[in-house]
Amino acid sequence: MRVLLVEDEPTLREQISTSLKEAGFVIDQADNGLDALHLGTHEAFDAIILDLGLPVMDGMTVLKNWRTDGLKTPVLILTARDSWHEKVSGIDAGADDYLSKPFHMQELLARLRALIRRASGNASSTLTCGTVMLDTTSGRVTVGSKSISLTSHELKVLSFLMHHQDQVISRTTLTEHIYAQDFDRDSNTIDVFIARLRKKIPENMIETVRGLGYRLHCAT
Ligand code: CA
């Protein structure tokens, strides 16, 4: 899952970025509103963390612009301590959740996972597809009663497919959601990850849809 992190305070940005990466997220970063506006508009993200107090263009203006343009990506805003009016106007401007500074990193992670799940129509923190279960909190995957071991990229691909069950997902989309913008992207590697995943989960579960991409079969 790929997240855009917008925060102008370098230390905090670094802390959030490190925690998110450790939790398996792919991160792109912006330290001002204008860059954030551009990235959010032109790149594919599963969620956005947006500080409101930003140089060049404030976070509220960025958020309003995104929503006016029809961007549906879930946005979690970071507000100043005890600033209830920021939370109210942020939610009115189209934010999906908020967190007041200072906050616990674990709470940010939990809220982010919940936003991403809800955006894909999943309420529970455990995603199930046939005998395959993904605990989105721990990143643990089980097939039946057996725990399976995945590389971080395999997990990113499986997680995206589990969040978008029974939908045809193109290789381009998968590539966009498992690599950050500055990464040397190669959509051929997706085929490699899929081939490896097929050896670890029931073989017919991932269907190749010719010319279109892949579909994780979960509906019975
Ligand atoms: Ca700030």
Side-chain angles (χ1 to χ4, degrees):
M1 293 292 158
R2 186 177 172 205
V3 173
L4 172 61
L5 168 61
V6 189
E7 168 62 62
D8 59 319
E9 213 270 290
T11 312
L12 180 59
R13 194 175 63 243
E14 192 54 42
Q15 284 170 352
I16 299 176
S17 160
T18 304
S19 300
L20 262 59
K21 282 178 189 163
E22 280 170 11
F25 290 99
V26 175
I27 308 296
D28 287 80
Q29 304 181 25
D31 62 4
N32 69 79
L34 202 59
D35 287 351
L37 180 66
H38 183 81
L39 269 172
T41 306
H42 297 286
E43 293 287 321
F45 295 101
D46 298 292
I48 297 172
I49 298 169
L50 177 69
D51 181 33
L52 290 183
L54 292 171
V56 192
M57 182 186 279
D58 70 90
M60 205 72 85
T61 307
V62 174
L63 179 57
K64 284 177 184 162
N65 268 287
W66 281 335
R67 293 313 187 212
T68 307
D69 284 353
L71 185 81
K72 294 199 171 61
T73 312
V75 174
L76 184 150
I77 52 171
L78 302 178
T79 66
R81 187 206 304 252
D82 298 332
S83 178
W84 65 268
H85 53 92
E86 268 194 2
K87 295 169 194 162
V88 173
S89 37
I91 288 169
D92 280 342
D96 299 272
D97 200 359
Y98 63 82
L99 210 46
S100 299
K101 293 177 183 177
F103 51 82
H104 288 281
M105 218 48 87
Q106 290 306 319
E107 183 172 5
L108 176 65
L109 286 169
R111 286 177 182 272
L112 200 58
R113 285 191 294 259
L115 277 182
I116 291 173
R117 285 198 310 266
R118 285 202 298 266
S120 60
N122 296 289
S124 163
S125 66
T126 302
L127 305 181
T128 307
C129 176
T131 53
V132 180
M133 276 175 68
L134 165 67
D135 179 338
T136 59
T137 310
S138 62
R140 190 164 168 261
V141 179
T142 53
V143 177
S145 56
K146 215 171 124 221
S147 186
I148 60 166
S149 151
L150 299 176
T151 65
S152 74
H153 279 112
E154 289 164 11
L155 181 60
K156 286 180 172 92
V157 170
L158 182 64
S159 176
F160 193 84
L161 292 175
M162 291 285 277
H163 277 84
H164 300 88
Q165 303 186 358
D166 298 302
Q167 299 171 30
V168 179
I169 307 293
S170 72
R171 289 148 101 212
T172 309
T173 300
L174 275 173
T175 309
E176 281 173 349
H177 287 267
I178 70 161
Y179 295 119
Q181 191 191 26
D182 51 7
F183 199 89
D184 181 20
R185 292 171 177 172
D186 178 359
S187 64
N188 290 321
T189 58
I190 296 292
D191 300 344
V192 176
F193 299 141
I194 294 282
R196 289 197 208 139
L197 277 172
R198 279 179 171 146
K199 294 190 175 127
K200 297 183 179 180
I201 66 172
E203 205 174 339
N204 300 328
M205 214 166 233
I206 305 175
E207 176 198 4
T208 302
V209 184
R210 264 187 216 298
L212 294 174
Y214 296 103
R215 174 164 43 202
L216 185 70
H217 276 288
C218 304
T220 46

